[in-house]
């Protein structure tokens, strides 16, 4: 998958979602976190954990995979929630989505 196209299915365990997790993300961020104050849009989730893919509109990077904590408290040090950033769709797809798919298949075959 070379282009960001929500009409094409993502490989398991990822799936596109209409669920808006922007407010949940914002509630978990503190000043100092790389996503604090950024405008985001929820794109996809993993079916087997709390990882969420966000499109980031006002940053030097385009995508962020965030492991939401679902905590009511923020980490004042900006360490949580854990985030991985990606500059473009190809980088995200090759270095995260495809690897997650391969690992998911290996785990589920065992």
């Amino acid at each position: 998958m070379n282009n960001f196209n929500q009409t094409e299915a993502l490989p398991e365990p990822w799936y596109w979602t209409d669920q808006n997790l922007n407010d949940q993300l914002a509630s978990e961020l503190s000043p100092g976190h790389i996503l604090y104050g950024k405008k985001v849009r929820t794109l996809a989730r993993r079916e087997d954990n709390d990882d969420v893919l966000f499109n980031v509109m006002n940053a030097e990077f385009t995508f962020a995979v965030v492991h939401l904590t679902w905590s009511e408290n923020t980490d004042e040090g900006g360490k949580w929630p854990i985030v991985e950033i990606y500059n473009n769709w190809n980088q995200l797809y090759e270095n995260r989505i495809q690897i997650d798919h391969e690992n998911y298949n290996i785990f589920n075959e065992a």
Side-chain angles (χ1 to χ4, degrees):
M1 181 180 283
N2 294 325
N3 297 313
F4 170 46
N5 182 351
Q6 287 183 275
T7 62
E8 296 181 28
L10 291 172
E12 290 181 316
W14 286 96
Y15 65 94
W16 299 113
T17 185
D18 291 331
Q19 185 179 14
N20 183 340
L21 294 170
N22 301 3
D23 290 341
Q24 179 61 39
L25 175 63
S27 75
E28 296 186 21
L29 300 177
S30 63
H33 193 281
I34 193 168
L35 294 177
Y36 186 81
K38 300 292 189 255
K39 182 178 179 184
V40 300
R41 179 171 62 109
T42 309
L43 295 177
R45 294 188 71 174
R46 277 188 63 146
E47 65 183 52
D48 59 341
N49 66 30
D50 291 324
D51 289 352
V52 179
L53 171 60
F54 293 94
N55 182 212
V56 185
M57 271 62 92
N58 60 337
E60 61 279 358
F61 51 91
T62 307
F63 299 101
V65 174
V66 180
H67 185 82
L68 293 177
T69 65
W70 299 97
S71 172
E72 295 180 16
N73 302 317
T74 60
D75 170 45
E76 294 306 318
K79 182 178 178 182
W80 306 104
I82 294 172
V83 62
E84 293 178 12
I85 59 171
Y86 298 92
N87 295 323
N88 58 60
W89 181 255
N90 288 341
Q91 181 188 45
L92 166 68
Y93 194 85
E94 292 173 9
N95 296 304
R96 181 59 194 258
I97 294 174
Q98 191 62 41
I99 291 170
D100 286 352
H101 175 66
E102 292 166 6
N103 291 336
Y104 181 80
N105 283 339
I106 291 170
F107 179 77
N108 286 321
E109 289 174 1

